[in-house]
Amino acid sequence: MTSTTNETINGPDLLDVKDLKISFKTDEGIITAVDGINFSVKRGQTLGIVGESGSGKSVSTWSIMRLLPKNSIIDKSSSIQFHRKDGKKVEITRLKPNGRELREIRGGEVALIFQEPMSSFSPVYTIGNQIIEAVLQHRNVSKDEAKEIAIDMLDKVGISNPRQRFKQFPFELSGGMRQRAMIAVALSMNPSLLIADEPTTSLDVTIQAQILKLMRDLQQDLGMAIIFITHNLGVIAQVADEVEVMYLGKILERGTAKEIIHRSQHPYTQALLKAIPQLDSTGERLTAISGDIPSPLSRPAGCPFHTRCEKVMPGICDVEMPNPTQLSDTHTVYCFLHEEKDV
Ligand code: SF4
């Protein structure tokens, strides 16, 4: 089966995900982690995916690089179309997990950064050697050129004395510096899409703000698209153009960052907004969302949020999944409160 077509890029989308459904075979049975979601990412823009842990946001994006455990199953109806740098459109779900084309895309065109940079570095090689190795794997340059790219990238991510840091080992850097170095590794391969999975969660708020600014600046410089995954809508407000709100493997609301932050219509999004820690907090208590996200092994019928929703309508919300209601060209909500015929 051929995985590429000669179709040239027509639209602005870099990535189109349609009806993505991912399950895991476990001893307790089949767990559905992602349940038929759609999203797209435009060139040069940032898509934020927000939700509590267990919502399926990491699983759905790691599938773009096919970095899922062996017991995962991507449903046959799912489609992940990625537009490569050479203009060809690739159906990622049809690529061999360890085949040449997927290896080229991983790192070379889609890069990943995540919460704990230590686990992405080998402790026995210097930061510089690890960047050179990544550059040589994905770019057609000499070793000397790779070294200059590495030093330039360390400089771009705001690491002082990059020629000196280049020779250091990962354990010699602070947490914030290691995070910057991981971004340098990812960006030195010149990807067109960067997946940033909770990259600032373990950092204090000042370093977090610096890293978010750095990512925005680099994005403008390098023109790459970003998928930014987080549980914190306050972070999304600082980085995203468009936002998808996920819960228990489903999208419950999507819109521009402005629509989601200032005009959210879904009770779950509104609850996440109330849980944002404020930098200038005057001591007002944050409102945690009551209850826990249900186990995917016992998914509730109807709206997946109905077991925790303050506005639940028994006999309606616990029976069927709400249909999408279009609030604007860009704003969609899945909630019976907005479905006139059902309420
Ligand atoms: Fe709450 Fe019902 Fe809307 Fe779900 S559909 S968010 S339970 S009001």
Side-chain angles (χ1 to χ4, degrees), residues 266-268 303 305-306 309 311-313 317 322 334-337:
H266 197 284
Y268 179 55
C303 166
F305 189 54
H306 85 255
C309 180
K311 297 177 180 165
V312 61
M313 295 171 283
C317 302
Y334 294 74
C335 173
F336 284 120
L337 291 172

Side-chain angles (χ1 to χ4, degrees), residues 28 46 90 92 125 161 215:
E28 285 81 37
T46 299
V90 184
I92 299 268
Y125 294 103
N161 302 322
M215 290 182 67

